[in-house]
Amino acid sequence: PSSCGAQVSVLRDVDVRPDPSEVDNISPSALNRLFECPKKLAYGRDARTKGWQRPTTRTALGMVAHGLTEAVARGGGSVNDGDHAGWLQATWDDLIAKQVVQLQKAWPGRQVPPAHSWPGYAVTKVRLIRSLARRVPGQAAQAERPLGQPAGMAGAQPPLPWIERRLEDATSRLFGTPDRVEEVNGRLRVIDLKSGVCQGDVTDSQLRQLLIDAGLVQGHLCRLPEDVVVLDNQGKGEGGVVAAVGCDAGAGVRGAA
């Protein structure tokens, strides 16, 4: 498998054209593909051709790093067992094993290289585990997780933080699953986890996704998040402040899009 991202396999039939279909709803990532390469989105939506795009060692490594980060955010690795570092290592190994299985299924007849030889494996593992080891679960809960719900909560909503909770807006027909929505020091923020080695400055597509997610959060809380943040595998964040647009979820989402 290629290590250069989720690549589209060699076309077996150059005459294949994706069937047109109505887009009933769309996610921020799909919207980014529409802006960047409409054909890629079309082929990905067609049942005959969507299998051409397969996972790689790079995407598998990103899934592992993302999964470990969210496992810690959900309270995994309790300090009560006295071995938080050991839990991080064991969970990493388990997630790697699962991704190897997924690669083997996606690339039948091909040999999946050992995980330790994947590009970026060592630096991602060391940086991420070192960063997460500093986030002792019990302390993180006190420092970052608010008690109760923020003011202006619209309807019955689960308490923050929200981790990979699907949000929808019926007016714009956009939906999204923010990696994390949390309130820290009175500021509501939306976080996008980027666990790869090469995360640099926030890209236009990342900012667009975060702003759409912020609009979706506003529709559920009647409160626009103050901050959007891209968090890398060292726990360092970069993002921006969201301008207020009022308590209109549809307007907030459409403005971001």
Side-chain angles (χ1 to χ4, degrees):
S2 167
S3 62
C4 298
Q7 303 295 327
V8 176
S9 302
V10 176
L11 300 183
R12 299 177 180 177
D13 184 350
V14 295
D15 293 327
V16 172
R17 297 292 184 271
D19 285 334
S21 61
E22 182 179 354
V23 178
D24 295 325
N25 52 32
I26 193 167
S27 67
S29 58
L31 189 63
N32 277 329
R33 287 196 295 272
L34 178 63
F35 290 153
E36 296 164 1
C37 181
K39 286 186 178 180
K40 185 175 181 180
L41 176 62
Y43 279 113
R45 287 176 52 83
D46 193 317
R48 301 170 304 159
T49 56
K50 64 182 181 180
W52 288 350
Q53 184 168 307
R54 294 184 275 184
T56 67
T57 56
R58 179 186 174 189
T59 60
L61 185 59
M63 292 293 292
V64 171
H66 190 282
L68 183 60
T69 302
E70 291 303 352
V72 171
R74 294 179 187 274
S78 172
V79 294
N80 293 331
D81 60 19
D83 188 15
H84 184 51
W87 176 86
L88 288 170
Q89 178 66 59
T91 305
W92 172 276
D93 292 341
D94 181 59
L95 291 170
I96 283 288
K98 291 178 179 178
Q99 286 302 313
V100 169
V101 172
Q102 293 302 314
L103 288 171
Q104 291 170 337
K105 290 180 179 179
W107 298 89
R110 301 283 295 275
Q111 183 176 1
V112 177
H116 63 78
S117 69
W118 296 357
Y121 177 90
V123 65
T124 299
K125 178 181 178 181
V126 170
R127 286 178 178 178
L128 183 64
I129 290 183
R130 181 184 299 159
S131 172
L132 295 178
R134 295 194 296 264
R135 294 184 57 186
V136 180
Q139 295 177 353
Q142 294 177 8
E144 297 184 4
R145 300 187 180 192
L147 298 176
Q149 301 174 344
M153 181 73 77
Q157 300 286 345
L160 298 173
W162 295 345
I163 299 174
E164 296 185 337
R165 182 187 177 205
R166 180 184 170 106
L167 306 174
E168 301 180 15
D169 176 61
T171 303
S172 65
R173 295 194 293 180
L174 283 164
F175 71 91
T177 309
D179 289 338
R180 195 182 309 161
V181 180
E182 62 186 14
E183 188 177 24
V184 178
N185 297 325
R187 295 182 68 85
L188 187 64
R189 65 181 188 172
V190 179
I191 294 178
D192 184 23
L193 296 175
K194 295 300 179 186
S195 304
V197 176
C198 301
Q199 174 62 41
D201 295 336
V202 177
T203 65
D204 290 343
S205 61
Q206 289 173 343
L207 183 57
R208 183 185 299 117
Q209 176 172 334
L210 282 165
L211 290 176
I212 291 174
D213 285 340
L216 291 169
V217 170
Q218 181 189 27
H220 286 259
L221 296 183
C222 199
R223 173 185 172 188
L224 187 67
E226 284 82 12
D227 304 304
V228 291
V229 181
V230 174
L231 199 65
D232 67 15
N233 60 16
Q234 299 183 70
K236 297 179 180 178
E238 182 176 350
V241 177
V242 182
V245 295
C247 187
D248 179 349
V253 174
R254 290 190 295 275

